[in-house]
Amino acid sequence: AELPSPGRVDLIARMTPPFLWLPDTVEREFLAYLMRACITETARQSAFTDDLSRFLQESLAGALFGHCWRARFGMNDDAFSLATRRYLPSWLTTLLEKIDAEPARSLAELQHTLPVSPAQVRRVFQRYLSTSPQAYLTTRRLELARVLLTQTDKSAGDITRMIGFQSQAHFTRCFKNRFGKTPTQHRQDVRSPQI
C-alpha cells in the first residue's frame, strides 16, 4: 500500500488519550518536517544497502521518536512537558514533580499529602501514563543513577542509597534489566575511549 504524504493526512489529529497532546503550529510543522524527511530517505534507498542512507533514516526516525517521547512523558522544564501536563489532574502533576525532584523518597511518602487514595493514584497513573506509579518512580531513579554514574565518581553503593534503592544487588538487577549492562559496566563503557 502506498503511504500518504504527511501533507495530506494529519497524523497528529489521530493521537488520542491517554496523553491528550495538542501541539502548537511550530511543533506540528517540525514533526511534519521530520516525517517527510523519514519518508523521503526511505523512498530514496528502500533496499537499505547504503550505510549512510540507513544512518540518516535511523537518525531521522530517532529524532521524530524522541520528539514524540518528550511530548508523551515530558522532560524537566521542557515546553512539551508543560503542554502535556496541563491536561493532567493537578494532583498528578504535583506528584510527577515530586518524583522528579526527590526520586529517593518512597512512593508512600510522595503520595502522603495528595487528596486522593493510593488506589486512585494507581488508576489515574495507568490511565494517563500507561504505567504504574512504582514503575515510573523506578524508571526515574534508574535514569538518575545513569547520570550519576556518568558524571560523578560516586560508588555504586553510594548511588544506590542516593536514589532510594534498599539494596545494591536489587539496584544492579534493575539497572541491568533497564539498560542491558551493570552499573559498573555502564561507567566503564562511558569512560573508555571508543576505537
Side-chain angles (χ1 to χ4, degrees):
E2 183 181 338
L3 290 173
S5 70
R8 282 187 273 150
V9 176
D10 187 356
L11 299 176
I12 301 298
R14 295 183 181 188
M15 291 186 170
T16 57
F19 59 95
L20 301 173
W21 176 40
L22 300 172
D24 64 26
T25 303
V26 173
E27 293 164 343
R28 290 168 80 92
E29 288 173 5
F30 183 66
L31 288 172
Y33 165 78
L34 289 174
M35 286 183 226
R36 282 192 301 274
C38 287
I39 290 168
T40 300
E41 188 59 33
T42 301
R44 190 182 81 73
Q45 188 60 270
S46 61
F48 299 112
T49 56
D50 178 89
D51 286 340
L52 179 58
S53 179
R54 184 172 42 252
F55 170 76
L56 289 173
Q57 182 182 8
E58 290 172 359
S59 297
L60 290 167
L64 179 60
F65 176 79
H67 210 62
C68 291
W69 182 266
R70 282 193 304 277
R72 172 66 171 83
F73 293 105
M75 299 294 262
N76 290 337
D77 300 322
D78 184 282
F80 281 121
S81 176
L82 297 173
T84 302
R85 289 184 181 189
R86 78 173 168 212
Y87 293 102
L88 301 177
S90 61
W91 62 262
L92 181 54
T93 301
T94 300
L95 178 58
L96 293 173
E97 289 168 356
K98 285 182 180 181
I99 289 172
D100 289 345
E102 302 177 78
R105 291 181 65 195
S106 73
L107 204 51
E109 291 175 312
L110 293 167
Q111 293 180 55
H112 178 69
T113 60
L114 296 179
V116 295
S117 70
Q120 178 71 357
V121 170
R122 286 190 298 275
R123 278 193 301 275
V124 173
F125 230 91
Q126 189 65 45
R127 176 178 171 210
Y128 283 97
L129 302 173
S130 301
T131 190
S132 71
Q134 188 60 52
Y136 181 85
L137 176 60
T138 299
T139 298
R140 299 301 290 161
R141 286 175 172 176
L142 293 172
E143 288 169 356
L144 175 59
R146 188 164 64 162
V147 169
L148 292 170
L149 286 164
T150 302
Q151 298 178 359
T152 73
D153 289 324
K154 294 184 184 305
S155 70
D158 288 343
I159 291 172
T160 298
R161 288 183 291 283
M162 285 178 67
I163 63 172
F165 277 88
Q166 297 302 312
S167 80
Q168 188 172 342
H170 180 59
F171 163 61
T172 300
R173 273 192 310 276
C174 290
F175 193 93
K176 187 169 184 179
N177 286 343
R178 174 91 174 136
F179 300 114
K181 54 185 79 171
T182 67
T184 303
Q185 290 168 334
H186 173 75
R187 177 173 271 166
Q188 289 170 346
D189 288 351
V190 167
R191 296 189 176 182
S192 298
Q194 302 296 319
I195 300 174

